[in-house]
Amino acid sequence: FWLKSQGSRTPAARSAAQDVAMGRVIRGSRKGKSLIFSAKTRLRKGAVKLRAVDYAERHGFMKGLVKNIIHDPGRGAPMCEVVFHDPYRYKLTKEKWVAVEGVHTGQFVYCGSKAQLSVGNCLPLGKMPEGTVMSMCEDKAADRGRLARASGCSCMVVGHSDDGKKTRIRLPSGSRKTVPSTCRAIVGIAAGGGRMDKPVLKAGNNFHKYKVKRNCWPKVRGCAMNPVEHPHGGGNHQHVGHPTTIARAAVPGQKVGLIAARRTGILR
C-alpha cells in the first residue's frame, strides 16, 4: 500500500518531499548571497588610493599637503587626507592615503619619479634603492595601491632586474614577489602598528571590533553544530570523523575545511 501511494504522487509533491529531506544551507553558502554578512560601510570615509598617475608624476613630481589625519571605522590604520593642486584645472583634489609612521598634518609630501626618498613621499619602485621600506605598494602599474595597507605593514625592495623593468619586493607575509618597476609606493611603514599586541581581555572588545567591520563574529565551530547545519556536525563527541581536506570541485554544501589543500600539518 505504501509503495502504491508513493507512486501515485505527482512529480511536484515528490520534489517537495525531497526538499524537506535535504539539510540546511550552511553558513559558508549563505555568506555569498545574504546581505546580513555584507560590510558596514555607511560611516566609512572612503577608499584609500594613490593619485591617479599622470604626466606630472611620470616626468616630475606633484606637491601635496597633509590636511588631516582621521580614523576610518573598520580600518586599523589611520587615514590621511592629502590635498593636491589639479594640474589642468583651477581646483584642489583631495586624496585619501593610509598614513605612514612619522607623517603629520601640515607636512608637504611629493609624488612622482623626481620626488625625494623621504618618509611620506610616493615614488616608483625603480627609483627606490634596495632595502627601502614602503607601504601602499601597487601590484600592477597605476592600480593606485594594493599591497601593505594594513596597520603596521610594510614591503621592502629586495632588488632590481638588470634591465630596470622589474623589481623584487618582500611582502608583509615574508613571501617575495616580482612587480613592474613603474609601480609606485609610499616610503615608510603603515601607521597603527602593534595593534594586536594588546590582549583582547574580554569578549566585549571583540564585539565592538567586529561590529564596525561585518557580521563574522562570534564564529561557531562546525563540529559544535548538528549534522543538518554542517558537514562536521553531529556525533556523540565533538569530532569531525573524517579528513577535513575537501576537493576544489566539491559542491557548495560540502566545501568546508581545508579546500584543495596541497599539504597539511605544521610547517617544519
Side-chain angles (χ1 to χ4, degrees), residues 39-203:
K40 316 284 183 67
T41 56
R42 184 173 63 88
L43 295 172
R44 295 195 182 173
K45 303 295 184 280
V48 288
K49 292 181 179 179
L50 300 175
R51 276 187 85 244
V53 71
D54 54 6
Y55 184 89
E57 277 210 31
R58 282 195 299 270
H59 299 283
F61 63 86
M62 291 289 292
K63 183 168 102 168
L65 176 66
V66 180
K67 276 282 191 186
N68 202 1
I69 294 177
I70 52 178
H71 169 67
D72 187 25
R75 186 189 298 274
M79 182 194 281
C80 64
E81 289 180 348
V82 187
V83 174
F84 294 91
H85 279 289
D86 192 286
Y88 304 109
R89 294 175 183 81
Y90 179 69
K91 64 174 184 178
L92 297 173
T93 56
K94 191 182 284 185
E95 301 290 346
K96 294 183 177 70
W97 290 2
V98 170
V100 295
E101 288 182 13
V103 165
H104 55 85
T105 54
Q107 176 180 343
F108 289 116
V109 293
Y110 299 89
C111 292
S113 60
K114 299 278 176 72
Q116 280 188 337
L117 187 76
S118 59
V119 170
N121 288 358
C122 171
L123 51 156
L125 298 180
K127 302 287 182 181
M128 296 182 185
E130 294 176 12
T132 305
V133 174
M134 77 290 185
S135 58
M136 197 134 173
C137 180
E138 290 182 333
D139 187 18
K140 299 176 177 64
D143 70 9
R144 302 180 71 178
R146 290 284 178 272
L147 309 172
R149 294 153 46 114
S151 56
C153 286
S154 63
C155 291
M156 183 184 279
V157 177
V158 176
H160 301 287
S161 64
D162 293 335
D163 59 359
K165 290 185 177 178
K166 296 281 184 184
T167 299
R168 192 106 171 125
I169 60 172
R170 196 183 76 215
L171 300 178
S173 63
S175 60
R176 303 188 174 210
K177 185 178 177 71
T178 303
V179 295
S181 295
T182 51
C183 290
R184 300 166 298 161
I186 302 174
V187 181
I189 301 173
R195 181 168 50 87
M196 304 300 287
D197 295 347
K198 183 181 176 184
V200 177
L201 289 179
K202 56 181 188 173

